[in-house]
Each structure stands twice: as C-alpha cells, then as structure tokens.
Amino acid sequence: MKPLLPICRLLRLLNRFPVKPSPPVSFSTSSYLCSQKKKSSYEAVDQAKYCRLVRSVLSRGPVQTPESLFKEDDVLYGPVSKCKVPEQEQQARVPQHWFPIFNEEKNGKPHTNGSSSPLKIPLQRNMIPSVTRILQHTMPSEQSFFLERWKQRMVLELGEDGFAEYTSNVFLQGKQFHEALESILSPQENLKGGEEHPQCGYIKSVQHILKEIGSVQALESAVQHEALQYVGLLDCVAEYQGKLCVIDWKTSEKPKPFIQNTYDNPLQVVAYMGAVNHDANYSFQVQCGLIVVAYKDGSPAHPHFMDEELCSKYWAKWLLRLEEYTEKQKNQSIPKPE
C-alpha cells in the first residue's frame, strides 16, 4: 500500500488548482484539413470492377465443362429464359402476307391399307431454299450468340480437331438413328441385330412412343410448298394416338422436357405440315405435329405433341421467318442456294 500514498497526495494537490477545460473540437470540411489526411491507394480502385473480378475468380472451378460454364453464366447474368420479348412487340409482329397452313381444297384421308408402302420422295436440288436453310439464316441474334459461344467453349475444351470429331459423331449418330427408325417403321424392312445396333440406346428411348404410332404414310420424304417456295425433307408422317402427324425425331445429350427446349424444331414441323397440305404428291392433309426427343442412355424420350391450335401459332412465326429470309435475300445478304 505504500507506493500508492505518493500518488494519492499528488492527486489532492492537483485538486487545489483549477484546470481550464480544453476548447471544443470542431471538424472542418475545408480542402486544407482534408489534404492533411493521407489518401489510401485503395480509394482509387473501381469497386464494382474489383467485385466482378473477385466473383469471377472465385466462381471458377478446377475443371471447366460446358455445363459448369452455363451454370456460371446463370449465376452472373441470370437464366436466359428471363430475357423475353415484350408482349406488345410480339403482338405487333404479324406476317405481312398471310397464307393458311391448312388446305380447304384437300379433304383426302390417308390410306388405311397396311400393305401399301409409305411415300419416299427424293429431295431434288434446285434454287428453292430449304426449311433448314431458312431457319439457319434467320436465327434470332440471342440464340445465335449462345450457339456461337457454346462452339467457342467446346473448341477450347476439345480443340479444333476434337470439336470437328465431336460434331461428326453427333451427325453420324443422328443419321444411324433415323435409318434404324426407317427400318422399324417400314412394313417391308426389319431391323436386324437390334441388340447390337449402335443406336440401341436411342431405340430403347423411343419404345413407348413407337407403340403409339401406326398407319405410316411417309418416311424420309421430300415436300415442296409451291406457293411459298421452299422445300424440305420430313422424317415421318404417321398416326400418333389416332391423329395424323408430321413427326420429327431428335436426339439430345440433355433432357428437353418442354417444347420450349426444342428451339426452332416446332417451326420446322409446321413448315413441313404446310408443305404437305399444299403438295400435290400427298393426297392427305396433316393437322398435328409431334417432336420426339430421344436419349442415348435409353431414358424415356420426351414427346411434344402439337395440336391444331398450337400449330397455327407456330405457323405465324414461321411465316415471319420466311419473310425475313426473303427480305435478306433481296438485299443480297444471303447467297442463293445452289
């Protein structure tokens, strides 16, 4: 306790003398006072740009795949489905020259004789553009952007040669799948060695669809719309659940449970429907469409049925794409088909 005694005496002595209070401290916003403070180098950094950089670096995984890149894009930019055309703009766009998809003068029904062979008209090369060509040259800018970005990323992952081999294999698998279906649906041909067929996964995928198909009228057959001047090669015309349809067979590496996932395929189907209904080579009329998406792993295919009302809506969109192609061709931005 002794060391504390001098301190206590000192405090008593200080209490005897008055202590003047210090003047109040005021803050000034003058340039002089602000200049006295040392400026941090971090204040000059673009915070928004820095945050985006950090987020981009942290979001990258050890292995980049097309699926992971698309997921990353969804996080950074949001799902693509959110970017929709305003309803007013959609309603404002109507075909300038309307042409019906159905032919009032054609009331014929398909042949019911099972012994008759399906139509298989070869596609003739001429100056008339094909449905595929028209859709490719009028692809929406957003869809074209994502397709090109996907190609670039696949090239980065697989290399130029690897991507060329990948696309070649996809094309070959699709061709073999269509040939196998043609053999199955043709009454005069049978699929041999189905268990060892390279497309047995796709065939297994569509088994539940094939059970609902009958009265095949056309297989891999060419169609031409004389009035609208376009041609195409349809996959199949047959009855699905009792309704005559233009059927389009598709393969996919990922599920497509909704018709919106099929991009321009509905436009392709209705284009073939309109051509069939106005082509003199076909005595019958088609009022429905069907898109079947098959999977290599054998999982059940997704059927997308298009009734008369839905086909009419897509037909209006097809006429718009056809007018756009014609306008571009007039402006010589598209070379004429050989």
Side-chain angles (χ1 to χ4, degrees), residues 217-258:
Q217 300 299 312
L219 288 172
E220 298 295 330
S221 187
V223 290
Q224 179 170 338
H225 202 300
E226 293 289 348
L228 297 180
Q229 289 294 291
Y230 66 84
V231 298
L233 187 68
L234 57 82
D235 292 345
C236 178
V237 176
E239 288 186 357
Y240 173 72
Q241 296 181 347
K243 297 182 180 180
L244 192 65
C245 302
V246 167
I247 303 176
D248 198 23
W249 307 99
K250 298 296 182 184
T251 60
S252 177
E253 295 182 351
K254 56 183 179 180
K256 293 184 178 181
F258 305 106

Side-chain angles (χ1 to χ4, degrees), residues 3-21:
L4 294 176
L5 292 176
I7 296 177
C8 295
R9 292 172 183 169
L10 180 60
L11 290 175
R12 284 198 297 271
L13 290 174
L14 289 175
N15 290 332
R16 296 178 183 177
F17 301 95
V19 179
K20 294 183 178 182

